[in-house]
Amino acid sequence: MSNSDSDDEPITLSSHALAALAEFNAEKDARQAKFERLKAQCDANAAGGLPLSMEAFTEDWNESQFWYSDDTARLLAGYLLEGADESTTIGIVSAPSAFIALRNLMNERDPSLGRPKVVLLEHDTRFNVFPEFVYYDFKTPFKLPAELKGTVDRVICDPPFLSEDCQTKTAMTVRWLGKPDATNSNNRVIVVTGERMATLVNKVYRPLGVRTVDWAPTFARGLSNEFYCYANFECKDWTWREAAIN
């Protein structure tokens, strides 16, 4: 047999390899079909002026996903949107339910107020059905499009894990995103995370003026861990806790 004859022989896979390949392709097709359904639903809602819902995105507890209640999501999104216009950039870091609420609020409000730019930094690729999506992994806090650096006026973040590593690296991302003049009146920073991270949060966000506030978020399916909200501003729904001023 010549070398050319040998090269022309088809590659034969074992039955086990063929089964594994078939399973891989089936999973790939299922993911693509799910993506298309989500995109179609989002497009249909947008075209019909219908509000978006987090019900299309099932929580994955292995990814530490816990969606806010509708009231919490709208309240947080409202403070990101309040006073914002077309010159404002809003960053959403690992808080997709706040992002959905923000999109709904922007669609509801008077167009003459201007539509801010929004960027969603998220690990869950299901959310890439939205043009605002940017893939984000807290383990590489600066692995983001360079043009985002120093461009964000307002930001909310909800680090996925209650660990010092996750909290610190997410804070690094938030500070990287923020405009250099972090103390201007248009700047707002909101952090939502566990009560037991309070000391660390108040430390790593101190340069941005963030403190623990006396309002707490609620979650759609409940959550056993106590969560706090932290912010660099006071409003009608919260004031700073005295203990966080130190």
Side-chain angles (χ1 to χ4, degrees), residues 146 163 224 242 246:
S163 69
S224 58
E242 290 299 321
N246 296 327

Side-chain angles (χ1 to χ4, degrees), residues 85-135:
D85 57 26
E86 65 277 356
S87 68
T88 307
T89 298
I90 299 174
I92 313 286
V93 183
S94 304
S97 47
F99 166 75
I100 295 296
L102 180 61
R103 279 183 61 109
N104 288 335
L105 288 177
M106 289 195 299
N107 289 334
E108 294 169 11
R109 80 171 188 165
D110 186 342
S112 68
L113 296 175
R115 191 177 183 91
K117 177 182 177 181
V118 177
V119 58
L120 170 66
L121 273 58
E122 175 57 44
H123 187 266
D124 187 343
T125 55
R126 291 179 298 172
F127 291 93
N128 67 5
V129 296
F130 300 105
E132 298 92 341
F133 175 85
V134 175
Y135 179 76

Side-chain angles (χ1 to χ4, degrees), residues 170-213:
T170 302
M172 291 166 64
T173 299
V174 169
R175 294 175 65 174
W176 182 88
L177 289 169
K179 286 186 175 178
D181 184 10
T183 60
N184 73 70
S185 59
N186 192 45
N187 170 268
R188 287 186 173 181
V189 180
I190 302 172
V191 182
V192 177
T193 193
E195 172 272 337
R196 63 189 176 94
M197 306 308 300
T199 299
L200 178 63
V201 169
N202 281 283
K203 176 182 177 181
V204 296
Y205 291 96
R206 184 172 296 154
L208 302 181
V210 171
R211 305 175 185 176
T212 313
V213 303

